């Protein structure tokens, strides 16, 4: 008998499913594909077959468990409370144990992303070639046909002239010169670092204006989402240890990236190998706060006391719920409270606000056609609001929403909520 | 195993992307919502238009390959399991709502339309399709029609067959025929339309349907009624009806179910109650008001401990959410669950409930009761574990006796799930041998080669 270590860990979750099939209604991928292998029930059944010894980790099985956005929409609605996200990630981890990562991911995760310096250097190298990409609008660049692997015709934000890591200081004292109310560690995340550095500076400014000391440890590394959601627990664990070490002397660890905050919090769920590790990961989780919950729940900032930036005066805004906020962290009321409370801004709720934008990290690289269809539904929701701006709090979603707004020739602009306020 | 040439033919008919043959995909089409039946097909095809269905059937008929039609795969009778292998003909890509006709209160749909998608679409027009099987999030109209599905709303509105005006069907030989029509009345020859409704996919493939709709009632109210004796709850059901009120829904939950729901989602249900009835009245506001008062008066007269009218829609939604979760509450608590759908004339509900409780004691197993008490359709559920032989055997015996009991009380062994595989062995207890023979002849008339969902309904 093979050692099904990672699968054994999730067997209890897989057993929960009673095959009612309700997940099909909520699964963005099933709604496009209409096949049983694209939905939670089918994936869960196949994982159980592996556990019974009736199914091997074939290439096709790899494709099937790969075809999940991990958006957790089905999990939220499952009458049997099956945590299919854990089943899928567990199965991916088992597959990595048995079959390895594959050359591309192996290189990307272990040689590049796991090493902060290398990651920066590779992105820098990519940047020096980005003039090859035609510009769509502003600083959005258009991926031409020869880069099919990244999605045909895709628009991505240009890489910043200077990455956040190159301009950020290690310590920011409160702007009023007083003794800090608390000390937080800022976790930047790769999208903010390479594409939206001004967002990072904005967040730091927001915090220090309000009496908080911000430290930005140079030793912080990638959050690990891409790795451990792909089943590379080994590299994920490495990232977890690096980040926990980097942020050990702060009251809170804050980030303006929904994916990063939920990934940092979930180290304890997926990665511990020993009791000691589990304890440390759990301790770490308690200190991690997403920007939205930190501002509203911890800093207790009153939305009506915030000042809207001039350029947004009189505009209508709608909110997109990132999966990693609404379902991974139950953060949905905080951003709405801010948007509704901001004087001078009109808020409209979009239909299906909690529908995944279709990005799913590397999902969109492998299944860009499906990503586009799912995003199309998101766009329908945005159009129905008649809003001027789409606001969210996850740079991953921002990338995908921006791409699809442009592809659909819509007038809306996409912003991180922090960009709206002074 | 299927010949390669057949797969190639199928690919020619529906396109390569609409044919699945990988072992993994076949496994994913080996089950439905039941716990005890599994069988893999040899191939899964997804037609997108009627002509493709016809071409598939012609090919299968010529090659004598079994064809099992399947939609969302949510049924709980084993009906969509390809028990003889062959082709699974999956209708999920024929999912267009072709027309909503407000003037005539009808809708034209393809078979793969999911009920909840239809409901959402109709809501925009102020209309609804009354049959409401609780699998509405996954169930497709083709399956709903083929199984003649029911649900809570049937006490007032009736079951699926009362809402189907016509169907387009592909016969096993590939012929495309039209039964019924678009009118409310229709007595042109034998009513073959209704042979298709509840045919469980054994006579042909439904490729289009004309549905009868109702306007959404402008008002509704929910009443939660508490009992210290489940049989008294059963009595209340027919007392309310005989006193002239037909509520939109009457749902029953017993003590065990109440407590599991409270564990899952605490909402303040009375945990010591032996049973609860949920009533919903609907119609014009004045009538709803009056009917609600009347129900409260009657249930109190006939032994209810308490009757609480939900003060707003939020409170009402909470109770109905609890009722919906009842199903999950049951299935989440045992490895194997027999979910019965025996149905008796309403006056016999207390007798059936008592029978279930007695059998639970007799065989020392958990028999829990919930269901659509309003139309006599109960879901006694037996919690067991297929791997625990002694327990499982006792559970099987109890189930046998519940079914026998229901039939003795003048009821039927299935009210809304169908026979499929799950209840085949009981068929003889309900139907006379001559009737079963006639059914087989009907089947042979439509499907002489026995390729259409073979192995279902009778043994």
């Amino acid at each position: 008998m093979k050692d099904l270590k990672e699968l054994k860990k999730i067997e209890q979750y897989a057993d929960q499913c009673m095959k009612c099939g309700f997940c099909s209604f909520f699964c963005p991928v099933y709604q496009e594909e209409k096949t049983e292998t694209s939905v939670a029930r089918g994936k869960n059944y196949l994982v159980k077959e592996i556990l019974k010894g009736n199914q091997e980790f074939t290439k096709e099985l790899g494709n099937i468990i790969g075809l999940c956005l991990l958006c957790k929409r089905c999990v939220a609605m499952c009458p049997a409370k099956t945590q299919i996200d854990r089943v899928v990630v567990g199965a991916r981890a088992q597959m990595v144990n048995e079959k390895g990562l594959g050359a591309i991911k192996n290189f990307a995760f272990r040689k590049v992303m796991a090493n902060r310096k290398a990651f920066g250097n590779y992105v820098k190298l990519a940047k020096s070639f980005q003039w090859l990409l035609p510009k769509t609008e502003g600083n959005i660049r258009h991926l031409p046909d020869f880069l099919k692997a990244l999605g045909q015709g895709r628009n991505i934000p240009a890489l910043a002239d200077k990455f956040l890591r190159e301009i950020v200081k290690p310590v920011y004292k409160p702007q009023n010169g007083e003794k800090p109310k608390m000390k937080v560690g800022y976790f930047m995340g790769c999208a903010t670092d390479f594409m939206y550095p001004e967002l990072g500076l904005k967040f730091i400014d927001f915090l220090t204006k309000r009496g908080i000391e911000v430290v930005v440890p140079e030793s912080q590394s990638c959050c690990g989402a891409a790795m451990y959601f792909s089943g590379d627990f080994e590299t994920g664990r490495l990232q977890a240890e690096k980040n926990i070490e980097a942020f050990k002397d702060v009251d809170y660890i804050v980030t303006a990236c929904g994916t990063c905050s939920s990934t940092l919090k979930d180290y304890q769920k997926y990665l511990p190998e020993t009791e000691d590790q589990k304890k440390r990961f759990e301790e770490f989780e308690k200190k991690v706060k997403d920007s939205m919950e930190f501002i509203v729940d911890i800093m207790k900032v009153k939305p009506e006391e915030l000042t809207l930036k001039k350029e947004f005066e009189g505009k209508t805004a709608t909110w997109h719920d990132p999966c990693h906020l609404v379902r991974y962290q139950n953060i949905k009321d905080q951003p709405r409270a801010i948007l509704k409370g901001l004087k001078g801004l009109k808020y409209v709720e979009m239909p299906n606000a909690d529908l995944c934008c279709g990005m799913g990290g590397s999902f969109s690289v492998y299944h860009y056609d499906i990503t586009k269809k799912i995003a199309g539904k998101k766009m329908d929701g945005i159009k129905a609001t008649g809003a001027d701006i789409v606001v969210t709090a996850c740079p991953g979603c921002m990338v995908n929403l921006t791409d699809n707004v442009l592809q659909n020739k819509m007038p809306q602009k996409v912003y991180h909520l922090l960009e709206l306020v002074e | 195993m299927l010949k390669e040439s057949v797969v190639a033919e199928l690919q020619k008919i529906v396109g390569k992307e609409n044919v699945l043959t990988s072992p993994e995909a076949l496994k994913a089409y080996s089950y439905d919502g039941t716990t005890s039946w599994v069988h893999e097909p040899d191939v899964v095809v997804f037609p997108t238009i009627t002509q493709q269905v016809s071409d598939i059937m012609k090919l299968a008929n010529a090659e004598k390959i079994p064809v099992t039609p399947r939609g969302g795969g949510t049924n709980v009778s084993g009906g969509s399991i390809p028990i003889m292998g062959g082709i699974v003909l999956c209708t999920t890509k024929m999912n267009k709502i072709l027309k909503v006709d407000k003037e005539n209160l009808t809708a034209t749909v393809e078979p793969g339309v999911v009920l909840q998608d239809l409901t959402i679409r109709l809501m925009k027009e102020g209309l609804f399709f009354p049959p409401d099987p609780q699998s509405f999030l996954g169930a497709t109209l083709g399956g709903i029609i083929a199984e003649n599905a029911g649900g809570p709303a049937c006490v007032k509105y009736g079951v699926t067959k009362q809402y189907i005006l016509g169907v387009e069907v592909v016969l096993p030989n590939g012929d495309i025929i039209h039964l019924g029509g678009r009118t409310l009345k229709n007595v042109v020859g034998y009513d073959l339309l209704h042979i298709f409704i509840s045919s469980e996919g054994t006579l042909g493939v439904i490729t289009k349907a004309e549905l009868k709709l109702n306007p959404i009632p402008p008002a509704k109210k929910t009443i939660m009624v508490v009992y210290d004796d489940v049989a008294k709850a059963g009595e209340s059901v027919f007392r309310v009806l005989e006193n002239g009120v037909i509520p939109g829904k009457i749902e029953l939950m017993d003590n065990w179910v109440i407590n599991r729901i409270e564990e899952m989602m605490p909402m303040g249900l009375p945990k010591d109650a032996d049973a609860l009835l949920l009533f919903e009245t609907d119609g014009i506001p004045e009538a709803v008001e009056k009917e609600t008062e009347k129900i409260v008066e009657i249930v109190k007269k006939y032994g209810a401990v308490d009757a609480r009218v939900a003060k707003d829609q939020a409170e009402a939604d909470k109770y109905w959410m609890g009722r919906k979760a009842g199903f999950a509450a049951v299935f989440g608590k045992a490895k194997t669950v027999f979910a019965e759908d025996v149905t008796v004339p309403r006056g016999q509900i207390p007798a059936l409930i008592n029978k279930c409780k007695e059998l639970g004691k007799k065989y020392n197993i958990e028999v829990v009761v919930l269901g659509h008490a309003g139309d006599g359709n109960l879901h006694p559920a037996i919690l067991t574990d297929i791997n625990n032989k002694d327990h499982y055997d006792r559970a099987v015996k109890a189930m046998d006796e519940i079914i026998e009991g229901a039939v003795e009380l003048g009821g039927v062994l299935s009210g809304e799930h169908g026979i499929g595989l799950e209840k085949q062995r009981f068929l003889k207890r309900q139907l006379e041998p001559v009737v079963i023979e006639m059914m087989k002849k009907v089947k042979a008339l439509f499907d002489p080669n026995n390729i259409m969902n073979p192995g279902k309904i009778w043994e």
Side-chain angles (χ1 to χ4, degrees):
Chain A
M1 196 64 192
K2 274 190 307 198
D3 178 16
L4 292 173
K5 185 178 123 197
E6 295 300 343
L7 280 196
K8 285 281 171 205
K9 285 192 210 160
I10 53 90
E11 189 168 14
Q12 52 172 315
Y13 306 115
D15 275 343
Q16 284 292 108
C17 173
M18 55 185 191
K19 299 205 262 89
C20 69
F22 287 9
C23 41
S24 62
F25 191 76
F26 302 101
C27 175
V29 181
Y30 179 84
Q31 286 300 323
E32 303 308 330
E33 297 288 283
K34 299 285 180 189
T35 58
E36 192 68 22
T37 46
S38 59
V39 76
R41 178 171 67 167
K43 295 182 210 298
N44 195 73
Y45 184 81
L46 288 168
V47 170
K48 285 176 79 166
E49 286 290 285
I50 300 171
L51 277 159
K52 284 185 198 154
N54 298 336
Q55 172 69 46
E56 290 287 321
F57 277 104
T58 56
K59 189 162 174 265
E60 176 67 4
L61 190 104
N63 293 339
I64 291 169
I65 55 173
L67 194 65
C68 173
L69 289 156
L70 294 172
C71 75
K72 281 179 77 166
R73 258 187 133 218
C74 62
V75 178
M77 303 309 291
C78 175
K81 303 221 173 349
T82 309
Q83 296 182 49
I84 191 69
D85 52 324
R86 301 187 77 155
V87 175
V88 166
V89 173
R92 289 176 185 176
Q94 183 67 37
M95 184 146 184
V96 170
N97 280 1
E98 280 183 33
K99 306 271 172 184
L101 253 180
I104 295 173
K105 283 187 175 174
N106 194 47
F107 179 73
F109 295 168
R110 294 176 178 174
K111 298 281 183 290
V112 182
M113 295 168 78
N115 179 327
R116 188 170 192 246
K117 233 187 185 146
F119 198 4
N121 288 340
Y122 273 100
V123 180
K124 190 129 267 180
L125 185 68
K127 196 177 78 178
S128 60
F129 285 104
Q130 73 173 347
W131 58 271
L132 281 167
L133 309 181
K135 275 194 174 185
T136 307
E137 188 192 310
N139 63 344
I140 305 295
R141 287 182 185 266
H142 184 76
L143 281 189
D145 295 352
F146 67 84
L147 282 175
K148 272 191 184 150
L150 290 167
Q152 215 159 347
R154 186 173 195 161
N155 303 287
I156 53 162
L159 296 165
D161 284 340
K162 275 209 179 297
F163 297 160
L164 181 55
R165 62 175 70 187
E166 296 171 299
I167 40 183
V168 82
K169 294 190 294 179
V171 183
Y172 291 83
K173 293 286 178 195
Q175 292 179 25
N176 58 12
E178 282 173 18
K179 196 171 162 286
K181 279 194 268 183
M182 56 180 127
K183 181 169 143 190
V184 304
Y186 171 57
F187 185 87
M188 54 178 83
C190 59
T192 309
D193 190 2
F194 303 135
M195 289 188 275
Y196 304 111
E198 65 295 342
L199 170 66
L201 296 176
K202 169 86 230 184
F203 189 29
I204 294 169
D205 177 61
F206 185 94
L207 297 170
T208 50
K209 254 185 199 159
R210 290 166 176 84
I212 294 171
E213 178 182 339
V214 180
V215 296
V216 190
E218 208 186 335
S219 53
Q220 62 180 284
S221 195
C222 162
C223 70
M227 294 102 168
Y228 81 68
F229 285 137
S230 294
D232 183 4
F233 284 5
E234 194 187 310
T235 314
R237 217 168 276 131
L238 218 65
Q239 300 312 101
E241 291 293 7
K242 279 186 206 167
N243 286 324
I244 290 172
E245 178 63 27
F247 286 96
K248 62 183 173 194
D249 296 320
V250 293
D251 299 319
Y252 292 101
I253 298 101
V254 295
T255 174
C257 171
T259 302
C260 291
S261 55
S262 97
T263 301
L264 298 173
K265 284 181 181 181
D266 279 353
Y267 286 162
Q268 41 82 28
K269 216 158 127 182
Y270 291 105
L271 302 175
E273 274 195 311
T274 61
E275 274 310 306
D276 162 66
Q277 214 167 24
K278 188 166 170 49
K279 236 185 170 157
R280 286 187 298 113
F281 288 8
E282 280 169 356
E283 284 304 311
F284 183 69
E285 181 211 351
K286 286 182 204 150
K287 296 206 298 189
V288 175
K289 300 288 167 197
D290 185 80
S291 60
M292 296 296 107
E293 65 177 331
F294 189 71
I295 292 170
V296 176
D297 302 342
I298 310 283
M299 291 170 71
K300 309 225 181 279
V301 170
K302 296 216 164 43
E304 58 278 12
E305 287 165 14
L306 289 170
T307 316
L308 183 69
K309 270 196 182 162
K310 268 243 143 29
E311 56 182 298
F312 299 107
E313 261 333 308
K315 298 250 191 247
T316 303
T318 190
W319 169 257
H320 159 72
D321 283 307
C323 302
H324 280 110
L325 287 187
V326 63
R327 282 177 294 273
Y328 280 70
Q329 304 183 65
N330 194 27
I331 296 174
K332 54 180 194 296
D333 298 336
Q334 297 92 328
R336 285 181 174 79
I338 297 177
L339 290 171
K340 286 176 188 167
L342 267 177
K343 275 185 217 124
L345 190 73
K346 192 176 159 226
Y347 177 74
V348 263
E349 182 76 17
M350 79 168 84
N352 268 344
D354 79 330
L355 177 67
C356 175
C357 69
M359 177 82 171
S362 56
F363 179 97
S364 70
V365 176
Y366 293 97
H367 308 288
Y368 186 56
D369 51 332
I370 302 176
T371 290
K372 265 212 292 207
K373 287 185 204 161
I374 296 170
K377 289 188 177 150
K378 193 86 226 179
M379 295 303 120
D380 291 342
I382 294 171
K383 282 179 199 160
T385 61
D388 306 305
I389 57 172
V390 182
V391 187
T392 189
C394 177
C397 298
M398 286 164 69
V399 169
N400 200 41
L401 292 172
T402 303
D403 175 26
N404 284 279
V405 164
L406 286 169
Q407 298 223 19
N408 286 279
K409 302 192 172 32
M410 290 157 61
Q412 284 84 5
K413 292 258 182 306
V414 181
Y415 293 96
H416 191 290
L417 195 148
L418 287 169
E419 295 179 279
L420 267 59
V421 295
E422 289 291 354
Chain B
M1 265 308 278
L2 230 46
K3 287 190 286 190
E4 268 176 41
S5 62
V6 171
V7 175
E9 272 301 310
L10 290 170
Q11 286 175 339
K12 227 192 264 168
I13 296 169
V14 295
K16 254 196 168 132
E17 69 282 10
N18 288 320
V19 177
L20 303 180
T21 52
S22 78
E24 292 79 7
L26 300 182
K27 278 199 177 86
Y29 285 87
S30 68
Y31 55 78
D32 61 6
T34 49
T35 40
S36 19
W37 305 90
V38 173
H39 198 284
E40 287 173 27
D42 297 309
V43 62
V44 186
V45 285
F46 298 85
T48 49
I49 53 169
T50 303
Q51 189 55 50
Q52 291 175 351
V53 177
S54 169
D55 293 344
I56 294 165
M57 291 316 303
K58 277 180 199 154
L59 174 66
N61 204 34
E63 301 278 343
K64 301 208 172 28
I65 303 163
V67 177
T68 304
R70 183 190 194 275
T74 54
N75 79 87
V76 283
S77 67
S80 55
I81 290 168
I83 200 75
M84 309 270 188
I87 299 169
V88 159
L89 189 155
C90 190
T91 61
T92 48
K93 294 187 184 179
M94 293 177 80
N95 63 337
K96 287 192 279 297
I97 298 168
L98 299 169
K99 192 175 176 189
V100 177
D101 183 344
K102 257 191 116 163
E103 259 174 43
N104 289 302
L105 295 181
T106 59
T108 316
V109 297
E110 291 188 333
V113 171
V114 171
L115 179 53
Q116 182 68 1
D117 286 325
L118 177 70
T119 303
I120 290 169
R121 171 75 176 79
L122 294 178
M123 229 189 290
K124 290 181 192 150
E125 313 281 349
L127 301 171
F128 81 116
F129 176 69
D132 59 342
Q134 295 300 282
S135 51
F136 57 88
L137 290 170
T140 53
L141 264 303
I144 289 168
I145 297 168
E147 300 285 343
N148 192 14
C154 298
V155 52
K156 180 168 182 176
Y157 294 98
V159 298
T160 300
K161 69 178 172 191
Q162 275 117 9
Y163 293 89
I164 308 301
L165 300 173
V167 289
E168 176 187 86
V169 166
V170 175
L171 294 176
N173 68 3
D175 284 353
I176 301 167
I177 61 165
H178 298 85
L179 302 172
R182 301 189 56 218
T183 57
L184 289 179
K185 293 179 172 177
N186 187 337
V187 280
V188 186
Y190 288 161
D191 190 358
L192 296 182
L193 168 64
H194 282 90
I195 290 188
F196 263 90
I197 303 172
S198 77
S199 63
E200 303 191 27
T202 61
L203 301 181
V205 186
I206 296 165
T207 47
K208 207 186 282 179
E210 193 73 17
L211 314 176
K212 177 166 115 70
L213 309 172
N214 275 8
I216 296 175
K220 51 185 182 178
K221 275 210 148 138
T222 294
I223 312 140
M224 184 190 71
V225 187
V226 184
Y227 295 88
D228 56 9
D229 177 0
V230 63
K232 277 190 206 160
E235 185 186 344
S236 271
V237 172
F238 63 84
R239 293 297 180 202
V240 166
L241 289 153
E242 77 180 7
N243 278 283
V245 180
I246 301 187
K249 297 173 186 169
I250 313 177
E251 294 290 302
L252 173 91
M253 290 177 262
D254 73 0
N255 175 273
W256 188 93
V257 177
I258 296 167
N259 280 280
R260 293 300 88 70
I261 293 170
E262 275 295 307
E263 275 169 22
M264 283 169 73
M265 44 171 89
M267 60 173 71
L269 297 178
K271 286 193 260 189
D272 49 352
D274 198 40
L276 282 185
L277 282 182
L278 280 185
F279 288 84
E280 185 178 272
T281 51
D282 63 3
I284 57 167
E286 295 82 357
V288 166
E289 211 52 58
K290 280 253 149 46
E291 288 187 343
T292 303
E293 278 168 29
K294 187 86 182 164
I295 289 171
V296 172
E297 181 197 318
I298 299 165
V299 295
K300 283 196 170 155
K301 187 170 156 196
Y302 288 99
V305 177
D306 189 20
R308 217 182 288 170
V309 180
K311 59 179 188 310
D312 51 25
Q313 197 51 44
E315 189 184 345
D317 288 345
K318 203 174 66 176
Y319 296 145
W320 288 106
M321 181 70 92
R323 165 61 187 91
K324 271 178 201 156
F327 181 62
V330 174
F331 274 80
K333 282 290 167 188
K335 286 257 180 214
T336 312
V337 175
F338 298 141
E340 290 313 310
D341 67 321
V342 290
T343 305
V344 292
R346 271 187 293 248
Q348 303 289 8
I349 292 174
L352 180 63
I353 293 170
N354 285 333
K355 181 92 194 167
C356 292
K357 297 280 155 190
E358 265 167 41
L359 289 169
K361 275 192 206 119
K362 180 173 162 191
Y363 290 108
N364 190 25
I365 50 168
E366 199 76 64
V367 181
V368 305
V369 182
L370 71 167
H372 321 305
D375 52 27
N377 181 193
L378 291 184
H379 294 308
I382 301 175
L383 280 61
T384 183
D385 178 357
I386 198 159
N387 298 316
N388 180 345
K389 196 177 175 313
D390 173 57
H391 195 278
Y392 186 77
D393 287 348
R394 279 183 281 139
V396 169
K397 276 187 196 143
M399 181 176 81
D400 278 19
E401 288 184 41
I402 288 173
I403 288 175
E404 215 152 77
V407 174
E408 270 166 26
L409 291 167
V412 293
L413 61 95
S414 174
E416 58 179 8
H417 296 168
I419 303 299
L421 297 166
E422 195 94 344
K423 295 199 177 69
Q424 293 189 330
R425 60 199 182 85
F426 302 113
L427 195 71
K428 285 184 208 139
R429 298 196 206 165
Q430 178 100 61
L431 301 179
E432 294 148 2
V434 182
V435 175
I436 295 178
E437 275 316 301
M438 284 173 76
M439 285 188 181
K440 287 183 180 171
K441 282 181 190 155
V442 171
K443 162 82 171 157
L445 178 69
F446 283 93
D447 181 21
N449 291 326
N450 194 29
I451 59 160
M452 210 58 235
N453 205 4
K456 305 292 163 65
I457 306 184
W458 43 75
E459 284 178 299

